[in-house]
Amino acid sequence: AVAAARSTFATIHLQGLASALAPTDDKDVILWNFPHDGSRKLGNEAMINFTQSLFTWLYLVAPGLVGVAVIMFWILPIPRSLQLSALYLVEVLSGWSCLELWFFTASISLTSLRILCDSLLADIELCETLAKTGTVCFSVNSEFTSDTWWMILAAILHRVMIFVFISRTKILLTEEVHVTFTPSKSRTPARSVASRREVTFAVSPIQEVVHDT
């Protein structure tokens, strides 16, 4: 996840007459830089700082914390009370983690960037006149890098890991035990009822899973 956050997801190219008049370098889309790049022109300083802090929390801090919490929970043997607290913490952090959401929305936005730009300029007379001469008034094109697919896969696996961890941990911490009993003064046949038994890991959860298998 850290490598995905620091790698270049896509590159944006400015094209057309506007690019020729004011040459600019291509823009690399990097998740690690997005909180700064995505908020620096949103308004006054207070708005910029708030948005930058929000983006940093949603796309970087929360995904990192939930990943560390999952790894530590499954490796370190801790008391049951702390195990339950860690489980609740992971559930809360998973709700704030938007790592895979950033990659999905960025993919959709980048693939739609040129379509949106061309549609906005379609009714401008000057741009239509230049287009007849083979000159593009203004256009923006984006290209995904060779790392794009594994970055999206890493974000999806991050979410799958959280889902598997929460579901599996709930099963391990509270499991069903079927108890068979026969009423003493009745001809009612024996019945099997389910009760819930709390389980405390004497070792780390990952060792408990290995032991069960």
Side-chain angles (χ1 to χ4, degrees), residues 13-26 136-140:
H13 309 282
L14 182 64
Q15 299 175 337
L17 184 59
S19 176
L21 295 176
T24 57
D25 296 332
D26 295 336
V136 178
C137 180
F138 174 79
S139 183
V140 179

Side-chain angles (χ1 to χ4, degrees), residues 7 27 34 36 49 90-91 96 124 157 184 203 206:
S7 300
K27 176 64 178 179
F34 180 77
H36 174 264
N49 292 336
V90 171
E91 289 181 321
W96 285 97
I124 299 179
L157 290 178
S184 57
V203 292
I206 188 64

Side-chain angles (χ1 to χ4, degrees), residues 3 38 44 48 61 73 77 81 105-106 109 119 136 144 153 155 158 180 207-208:
N44 55 29
I48 293 175
V61 178
F73 180 92
S81 59
T105 54
S109 299
S119 63
V136 178
F144 293 113
L153 179 61
H158 181 269
T180 302
Q207 292 173 316
E208 182 77 12

Side-chain angles (χ1 to χ4, degrees), residues 6-195:
R6 290 184 173 273
S7 300
T8 301
F9 182 72
T11 302
I12 299 177
H13 309 282
L14 182 64
Q15 299 175 337
L17 184 59
S19 176
L21 295 176
T24 57
D25 296 332
D26 295 336
K27 176 64 178 179
D28 291 333
V29 180
I30 303 175
L31 173 57
W32 189 264
N33 300 334
F34 180 77
H36 174 264
D37 295 341
S39 59
R40 60 182 178 177
K41 295 184 179 181
L42 291 181
N44 55 29
E45 184 177 358
M47 176 63 72
I48 293 175
N49 292 336
F50 172 79
T51 308
Q52 184 173 349
S53 300
L54 180 62
F55 287 167
T56 302
W57 170 255
L58 293 177
Y59 303 133
L60 297 175
V61 178
L65 288 178
V66 71
V68 172
V70 168
I71 294 174
M72 293 184 62
F73 180 92
W74 275 81
I75 294 179
L76 300 179
I78 56 178
R80 175 179 172 76
S81 59
L82 293 181
Q83 291 173 357
L84 291 174
S85 299
L87 177 59
Y88 297 149
L89 176 63
V90 171
E91 289 181 321
V92 172
L93 289 176
S94 67
W96 285 97
S97 176
C98 298
L99 182 63
E100 74 286 352
L101 181 61
W102 185 88
F103 286 106
F104 291 150
T105 54
S107 300
I108 296 173
S109 299
L110 290 170
T111 53
S112 305
L113 191 59
R114 182 169 183 174
I115 299 174
L116 178 61
C117 180
D118 293 345
S119 63
L120 291 175
L121 299 176
D123 297 330
I124 299 179
E125 184 177 352
L126 176 60
C127 292
E128 292 181 352
T129 303
L130 291 174
K132 294 178 181 179
T133 63
T135 303
V136 178
C137 180
F138 174 79
S139 183
V140 179
N141 187 33
S142 60
E143 294 180 353
F144 293 113
T145 65
S146 58
D147 298 330
T148 298
W149 295 112
W150 75 261
M151 294 168 67
I152 295 177
L153 179 61
I156 295 175
L157 290 178
H158 181 269
R159 175 58 62 182
V160 172
M161 177 195 68
I162 297 173
F163 174 78
V164 173
F165 165 80
I166 293 176
S167 58
R168 180 59 176 166
T169 303
K170 286 183 177 179
I171 294 174
L172 290 175
L173 288 178
T174 308
E175 64 179 12
E176 283 193 352
V177 178
H178 290 274
V179 181
T180 302
F181 70 96
T182 303
S184 57
K185 297 181 180 181
S186 174
R187 296 182 179 179
T188 305
R191 295 183 299 168
S192 177
V193 297
S195 61

